[in-house]
Amino acid sequence: MNPESVEEDLFGERHATGVSTLTDSSPGCDSTPRESLVAFKFGGSSLLGAPRMLHAAGLVRPVAQLMQVVAVVSAMKGVTDRLLGIAQALGEGNGQRARSEAEAVLHLHLGVLRDLRLDSDDHDRVARELNSLGRDLLHEISPRSHKLLPPAAAELFDRLASFGERFSARLFAGALERSGVPAVPVSSSEFVLTCDTFQDAKPHLEQTRQRGRAVLLPLLADGIVPVVTGFVGATPDGRITTLGRNSSDFSAAIIAHVVDADELVIWTDVDGIYTSNPNESAQARLLHDLSYEDAHALALGGAKVLHPHVLPLAEETEMTIWVRNTFKPQARGTRIGPTPVGAQPGCAPVSKEPA
């Protein structure tokens, strides 16, 4: 699909979702107020390599022309596992293997930067940011990190695991800039305040909301897309935490809640939520609309519809959630919202990409 037709599909979809896009104003007028706000979350498969990052940036661009957008990103697919492999190597006392893998992770992201083909100034700026992160990553791999006792090991695990999203946010912000969308990377550890249960930290939502609005709202008011790291938070004294594996959907819901987003669009690698796994059943049917109650019922029945903490946050502000396919943006996807639509009990989604 060419970029022009993608933009047409997305413009049409924005009208279909019910979000006000202020289309009474003249097209292309920079002074048009942007009253509506949408959060986009991109999973690891959606950001795997420069072509996919640029494609995802192309999904943001037409919407950012009509309303405010905040993007939440996962690490590129496979990167978190590699970072956890570094932690395992350190735990086994194999510092050489850990260092070699850390250097490989840095070079992977520098390779994606090269393939993004940014202009010279942007390339040099992002390269400096990536190399700075790489130095921080290598700093974590030192003799003091070897064979740590469990509490300290869990803290190191979170620091190492956070690098995937931090690399990804800088690259995706660069991809957006190349696509003509002003963007800056934002580390969620700046404002997502959590407890100190490393590897499964719980957010302090009210403090996170206050801090997050101070960070994000000025950027949004200036027409800049904040590209926020999913999965990551920090304790009150500034130590990096993570919300647990596959928690980027939850992170996106937190950030959408912080900025009072009208919608949260979870861009993934499946068409939406199905009555059963279409890879296993020829009778599987895509569900186009679910109420919060329907989605709760599916989750209670064992279906992995969304991270369990996403729906309560969405219900609090009646925020609409979409599950859509990054690679088939012309497909409508599944909408979850406050209006009951009578989904059939026992429905389940196909397994989507790790969050």
Side-chain angles (χ1 to χ4, degrees):
M1 174 177 291
N2 62 53
E4 290 77 12
S5 60
V6 169
E7 289 193 18
E8 289 173 2
D9 289 332
L10 282 168
F11 276 119
E13 184 58 46
R14 303 320 297 171
H15 293 293
T17 61
V19 169
S20 170
T21 57
L22 302 178
T23 53
D24 292 339
S25 302
S26 300
C29 177
D30 292 338
S31 62
T32 300
R34 300 180 179 186
E35 293 183 355
S36 297
L37 198 156
V38 61
F40 278 5
K41 183 264 178 176
F42 292 101
S45 293
S46 301
L47 300 173
L48 182 57
R52 292 188 180 186
M53 285 200 178
L54 291 169
H55 173 74
L59 301 179
V60 174
R61 181 178 59 188
V63 180
Q65 293 172 349
L66 295 174
M67 63 186 74
Q68 295 175 322
V69 179
V70 57
V72 183
V73 296
S74 296
M76 290 196 303
K77 184 177 181 180
V79 168
T80 301
D81 287 337
R82 295 182 71 170
L83 291 166
L84 300 184
I86 292 171
Q88 181 178 355
L90 289 173
E92 295 168 354
N94 193 336
Q96 183 176 355
R97 178 162 67 89
R99 184 176 185 85
S100 175
E101 184 64 6
E103 291 173 345
V105 168
L106 172 60
H107 291 150
L108 169 67
H109 291 89
L110 288 173
V112 173
L113 172 61
R114 180 190 63 243
D115 294 341
L116 285 175
R117 300 185 182 279
L118 306 182
D119 67 38
S120 178
D121 289 344
D122 287 343
H123 177 278
D124 291 347
R125 172 179 50 78
V126 178
R128 286 194 298 271
E129 294 172 353
L130 295 181
N131 279 305
S132 177
L133 280 175
R135 287 191 295 272
D136 290 345
L137 176 58
L138 289 170
H139 179 71
E140 297 289 353
I141 301 164
S142 62
R144 65 179 173 79
S145 303
H146 298 180
K147 297 188 176 180
L148 294 173
L149 295 175
E155 189 172 340
L156 175 64
F157 169 103
D158 277 2
R159 290 201 304 275
L160 291 172
S162 74
F163 280 94
E165 275 72 11
R166 292 155 74 187
F167 280 125
S168 184
R170 284 154 178 81
L171 287 171
F172 189 56
L176 285 169
E177 288 280 353
R178 180 186 155 178
S179 300
V181 180
V184 295
V186 177
S187 293
S188 52
S189 56
E190 292 182 28
F191 64 88
V192 176
L193 193 69
T194 74
C195 68
D196 62 359
T197 304
F198 296 97
Q199 301 182 247
D200 190 24
K202 301 298 185 288
H204 302 310
L205 289 176
E206 188 51 43
Q207 291 165 291
T208 293
R209 178 177 168 83
Q210 293 174 6
R211 291 157 57 120
R213 291 177 74 80
V215 172
L216 300 176
L217 293 187
L219 296 173
L220 292 165
D222 287 341
I224 297 170
V225 174
V227 180
V228 186
T229 54
F231 178 56
V232 180
T235 62
D237 59 358
R239 291 174 293 161
I240 294 290
T241 59
T242 66
L243 306 183
R245 290 302 301 268
N246 301 323
S247 64
S248 287
D249 286 356
F250 182 30
S251 296
I254 292 171
I255 291 156
H257 176 76
V258 163
V259 297
D260 294 326
D262 301 282
E263 297 182 351
L264 167 60
V265 185
I266 297 174
W267 291 100
T268 182
D269 56 5
V270 295
D271 289 347
I273 298 170
Y274 286 79
T275 54
S276 58
N277 191 329
N279 296 324
E280 299 173 357
S281 171
Q283 284 74 44
R285 179 172 56 84
L286 179 64
L287 297 169
H288 292 294
D289 290 282
L290 293 170
S291 68
Y292 299 131
E293 291 79 7
D294 297 327
H296 274 305
L298 293 178
L300 289 173
K304 295 180 180 179
V305 179
L306 292 168
H307 188 287
H309 297 316
V310 169
L311 289 171
L313 278 178
E315 283 184 284
E316 188 172 325
T317 57
E318 296 193 344
M319 177 172 58
T320 298
I321 300 172
W322 292 83
V323 179
R324 299 189 61 187
N325 192 332
T326 307
F327 310 109
K328 293 172 62 178
Q330 72 278 13
R332 181 179 182 274
T334 299
R335 173 190 179 275
I336 302 173
T339 305
V341 291
Q344 297 178 4
C347 303
V350 62
S351 297
K352 61 183 181 71
E353 62 180 319

